[in-house]
Amino acid sequence: MSAAQPVVISGVTDSGMRYAHLWHPEFKVVGAPGPYHMAGMTTERALMFSIDSACPTPWIDIALRMFDTFRRGELPTPTHTVEWKFGRPTFSPVTAPEQDDEAALFDMEGTDR
């Protein structure tokens, strides 16, 4: 996982709250690199948006585009999923859904099923 690109997670909780977060996978905090939350948005009590002051400048534009998508009621496309272990996030890349061979043939022909 390259620190040059942010980790984006997004989804909907069981209670219906939408969320999207932008993480730095290897931000140096107190001498040790680790995941760090750079920006986030939720619909918990109201539409909330935050950007950490440590957020790399190029990522601010990414966060703003994510928020624009979020405000329209859509979720930004996630790059990773997150699993929490002992209060620490572990990220896994999102894999594209696999197509079956028949669907690939239809795509090549330019027709829908």
Side-chain angles (χ1 to χ4, degrees):
M1 185 174 349
S2 169
Q5 292 298 315
V7 169
V8 176
I9 61 169
S10 65
V12 180
T13 65
D14 292 340
S15 66
M17 180 190 78
R18 292 183 308 117
Y19 65 90
H21 296 167
L22 190 147
W23 288 77
H24 191 297
E26 299 172 5
F27 191 74
K28 194 169 185 177
V29 179
V30 192
Y36 194 78
H37 182 257
M38 292 290 171
M41 51 215 74
T42 67
T43 57
E44 189 170 13
R45 292 187 197 105
L47 189 61
M48 301 294 295
F49 177 61
S50 66
I51 298 177
D52 191 276
S53 62
C55 186
T57 303
W59 292 10
I60 293 172
D61 289 333
I62 295 170
L64 291 171
R65 285 193 306 271
M66 284 173 54
F67 188 59
D68 188 45
T69 299
F70 197 77
R71 284 188 329 187
R72 290 193 311 262
E74 302 168 18
L75 288 173
T77 304
T79 60
H80 292 74
T81 59
V82 65
E83 186 175 323
W84 290 87
K85 295 178 184 176
F86 306 109
R88 187 170 171 87
T90 302
F91 301 106
S92 301
V94 171
T95 56
E98 292 185 29
Q99 280 188 328
D100 60 14
D101 291 338
E102 187 178 327
L105 287 175
F106 279 105
D107 286 346
M108 288 190 306
E109 294 173 1
T111 59
D112 293 330
R113 277 198 222 193

